[in-house]
């Protein structure tokens, strides 16, 4: 009889163990754990980790009202547990790490009356333990700028060091601060806050070395000096407000002349410059001109006016702090002389016309000389003129004749005079009267 009842009893006990699983099985995957911590912390200081059970779909599910419905389970080795606090849907532990490193801490949630059941939610967190001091530098200024790490030059900065000590571990420690402002200035203070004024613009890095010392009891009931250090830095970008633009350039110019205008910016670069030529001095709208990046405080503009009239340069410049506008009026007069691009063709045409006129004149003069009739001298005295030898005569006429005579007509006349006449058909008879 007893052996027959044992299977029934075992089944009843098995069903009793399954009863707590019913709500858990329904809740599995419907919730999640959110973990928060105040790490990193230094060795010897307490680190706090909090786990909160929330609905996985941003709170649309209603959590059970029974505060003892769930249980939180932690694994935090090798961190030493110093305290634990459980609430309805959250749990907090405090632990200490004696060695530096990153140590994983896991937590999961089950039904309160069934530790071996399937977890409702689980999560993992890796807090960081370091041997150094933990903190950060905070830089503030009365004139706040919307850009990160950007501040005004020639304006006082407040630089503070904030120690991260959530467990009040350094309550008995004394601190020493060594400052380096990046512009050659250094100082040592016992205060975690200093005021400094950068006289020039530029990029600077503030460096701080913090030393903490305190007395700590030893195992032999003695005391020893313990020291921890930390190095911190912050990047600064010092700018000047763009106060205006100085424009240097002519106010009157002739058309087709190249004009240069120099812009001097009263502010810190980098700058974005935009300009446009208008007939009236009006501010530039967004997208009305093409911006140009300028890395210096001066910029040159060049332009050639083709049409006379009254014009205005509308100029806009801005840096990361502010922006400003400036205008420059200029009057363009008609040019007093034609552009060189038209003068050269005109000179070429005039030269060709003059060359053609000279060619026609010389040609007409040559034809006129060829048509003239030679004037011969038949007087008896002409036979008495001495003549040079034939060879010398011919050579002089052929080689030197054109250069010794002044005009072509004279050359032709000499050629005819030295040309022999045809011999007569009868011999002339001389008659003498007594």
């Amino acid at each position: 009889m007893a052996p027959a009842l044992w299977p029934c009893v075992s089944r009843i006990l098995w069903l009793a163990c399954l009863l707590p699983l019913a709500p858990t099985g329904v809740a599995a995957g419907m919730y999640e754990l959110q973990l928060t911590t105040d790490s990193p912390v230094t060795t010897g200081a307490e680190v706090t980790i909090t786990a909160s059970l929330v609905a996985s779909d941003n709170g649309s599910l209603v959590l059970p009202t029974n505060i003892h419905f769930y249980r939180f389970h932690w694994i935090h080795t090798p961190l030493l547990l110093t305290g634990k606090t459980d609430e309805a849907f959250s749990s907090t532990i405090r632990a200490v790490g004696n060695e530096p490193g990153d140590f994983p801490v896991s937590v999961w949630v089950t039904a309160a009356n069934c530790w071996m059941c399937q977890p409702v939610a689980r999560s993992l967190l890796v807090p960081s333990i370091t041997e150094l001091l933990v903190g950060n530098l905070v830089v503030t200024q009365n004139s706040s700028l919307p850009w990160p790490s950007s501040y005004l030059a020639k304006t006082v900065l407040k630089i503070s060091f904030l120690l991260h000590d959530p467990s009040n571990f350094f309550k008995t420690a004394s601190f020493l601060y060594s400052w380096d402002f990046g512009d050659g200035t250094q100082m040592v203070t016992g205060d975690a806050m200093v005021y400094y004024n950068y006289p020039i613009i530029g990029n600077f890095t503030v460096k701080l070395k913090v030393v903490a010392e305190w007395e700590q009891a030893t195992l032999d009931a003695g005391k020893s000096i313990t020291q921890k250090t930390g190095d911190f830095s912050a990047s600064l970008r010092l700018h000047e407000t763009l106060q205006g633009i100085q424009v240097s350039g002519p106010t009157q110019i002739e058309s087709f002349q190249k004009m240069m205008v120099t812009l001097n910016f009263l502010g810190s670069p980098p700058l974005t410059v935009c300009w446009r030529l208008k007939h009236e001095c009006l501010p530039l709208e967004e997208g009305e001109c093409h911006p140009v990046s300028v890395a210096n405080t001066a910029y040159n503009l060049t332009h050639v006016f083709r049409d006379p009239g009254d014009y205005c340069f509308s100029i806009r410049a801005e840096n990361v702090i502010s922006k400003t506008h400036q205008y420059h009026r200029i009057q363009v007069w008609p040019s007093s002389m034609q552009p060189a691009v038209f003068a050269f063709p005109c000179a070429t045409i005039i030269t060709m016309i003059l060359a053609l006129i000279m060619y026609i004149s010389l040609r007409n003069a040559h034809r006129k000389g060829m048509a003239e009739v030679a004037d011969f001298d038949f007087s008896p005295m002409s036979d008495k003129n001495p003549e040079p030898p034939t060879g010398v005569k011919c050579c002089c006429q052929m080689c030197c004749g054109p250069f010794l005579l002044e005009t072509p007509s004279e050359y032709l006349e000499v050629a005819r005079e030295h040309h022999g006449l045809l011999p007569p058909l009868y011999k002339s008879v001389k008659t003498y009267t007594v």
Side-chain angles (χ1 to χ4, degrees), residues 262-432:
T262 301
L263 308 179
N264 295 311
F265 305 102
L266 305 179
S268 59
L271 303 168
T272 301
V273 182
C274 184
W275 66 277
R276 187 171 181 178
L277 198 61
K278 296 183 176 183
H279 289 283
E280 298 180 357
C281 293
L282 298 175
L284 294 175
E285 302 295 337
E286 294 294 334
E288 193 174 0
C289 57
H290 181 69
V292 179
S293 298
V294 179
N296 301 317
T297 57
Y299 185 73
N300 293 327
L301 294 177
T302 57
H303 188 75
V304 177
F305 292 92
R306 298 186 179 275
D307 299 323
D310 295 331
Y311 297 92
C312 179
F313 275 101
S314 297
I315 307 164
R316 182 183 67 202
E318 59 182 315
N319 59 8
V320 296
I321 299 177
S322 60
K323 63 181 178 181
T324 184
H325 292 80
Q326 187 59 275
Y327 309 99
H328 181 69
R329 294 183 178 274
I330 185 168
Q331 190 174 18
V332 181
W333 295 91
S335 178
S336 59
M337 57 182 301
Q338 296 296 329
V341 67
F342 300 107
F344 180 75
C346 293
T348 303
I349 295 175
I350 293 174
T351 303
M352 294 177 62
I353 293 175
L354 293 176
L356 181 62
I357 293 174
M358 292 178 63
Y359 172 75
I360 294 175
S361 300
L362 293 176
R363 184 176 180 182
N364 292 337
H366 179 69
R367 289 182 177 178
K368 182 178 179 180
M370 293 293 294
E372 289 181 352
V373 178
D375 185 10
F376 298 99
D377 187 6
F378 296 97
S379 63
M381 298 299 296
S382 61
D383 296 336
K384 299 181 180 180
N385 294 332
E387 295 182 0
T390 305
V392 176
K393 174 181 177 181
C394 199
C395 179
C396 181
Q397 291 176 354
M398 296 298 295
C399 299
C400 305
F403 300 101
L404 297 176
L405 300 178
E406 294 182 356
T407 61
S409 59
E410 295 179 0
Y411 169 72
L412 294 175
E413 184 177 354
V414 172
R416 293 191 190 99
E417 290 178 357
H418 292 283
H419 221 293
L421 297 177
L422 294 176
L425 297 178
Y426 58 95
K427 187 176 182 180
S428 60
V429 176
K430 293 183 179 181
T431 304
Y432 299 96

Side-chain angles (χ1 to χ4, degrees), residues 79-296:
L79 299 179
L80 301 179
L81 185 65
T82 59
K84 180 181 179 183
T85 303
D86 290 329
E87 297 182 1
F89 306 106
S90 65
S91 178
T92 301
I93 65 170
R94 294 178 300 277
V96 175
N98 295 322
E99 297 293 335
D102 297 330
F103 305 100
V105 175
S106 61
V107 58
W108 69 94
V109 180
T110 63
N113 55 356
C114 185
W115 289 17
M116 302 300 295
C117 298
Q118 181 181 0
V120 177
R122 65 171 65 242
S123 186
L124 178 70
L125 182 68
V126 182
S128 178
I129 309 298
T130 178
E131 289 183 341
L132 304 175
L133 295 175
V134 180
N136 61 306
L137 283 176
V138 178
V139 182
T140 57
Q141 194 175 52
N142 292 334
S143 301
S144 60
L145 301 178
W147 297 273
S149 304
S150 296
Y151 305 94
L152 291 177
K154 303 177 182 178
T155 305
V156 176
L157 290 173
K158 178 183 177 181
I159 308 175
S160 306
F161 172 71
L162 299 181
L163 178 67
H164 181 67
D165 185 22
S167 63
N168 204 17
F169 179 72
F170 296 98
K171 60 183 177 180
T172 61
S174 61
F175 294 87
L176 192 65
Y177 304 90
S178 299
W179 303 87
D180 184 352
F181 297 98
D183 61 348
T185 304
Q186 298 179 352
M187 67 173 63
V188 178
T189 64
D191 194 353
M193 180 180 61
V194 294
Y195 292 92
Y196 192 74
N197 188 356
Y198 285 89
I200 58 176
I201 63 175
N203 298 330
F204 302 93
T205 300
V206 179
K207 297 180 181 180
L208 173 63
K209 184 178 182 62
V210 183
V211 179
E213 291 184 352
W214 70 96
E215 290 185 351
Q216 188 173 13
T218 60
L219 297 177
D220 56 355
K223 293 183 179 181
S224 63
I225 300 298
T226 304
Q227 185 181 92
K228 285 184 179 291
T229 63
D231 295 316
F232 309 90
S233 63
S235 297
L236 307 178
R237 297 177 181 176
L238 279 301
H239 304 275
E240 283 184 342
T241 303
L242 192 58
Q243 300 177 356
I245 306 173
Q246 292 181 349
V247 182
S248 300
T251 58
Q252 293 183 352
I253 197 173
E254 294 183 354
S255 58
F256 295 99
Q257 288 186 353
K258 185 177 181 180
M259 185 199 68
M260 177 177 291
V261 175
T262 301
L263 308 179
N264 295 311
F265 305 102
L266 305 179
S268 59
L271 303 168
T272 301
V273 182
C274 184
W275 66 277
R276 187 171 181 178
L277 198 61
K278 296 183 176 183
H279 289 283
E280 298 180 357
C281 293
L282 298 175
L284 294 175
E285 302 295 337
E286 294 294 334
E288 193 174 0
C289 57
H290 181 69
V292 179
S293 298
V294 179
N296 301 317

Side-chain angles (χ1 to χ4, degrees), residues 3-13:
L5 293 176
W6 177 248
C8 295
V9 174
S10 62
R11 290 180 181 178
I12 292 173
L13 294 175

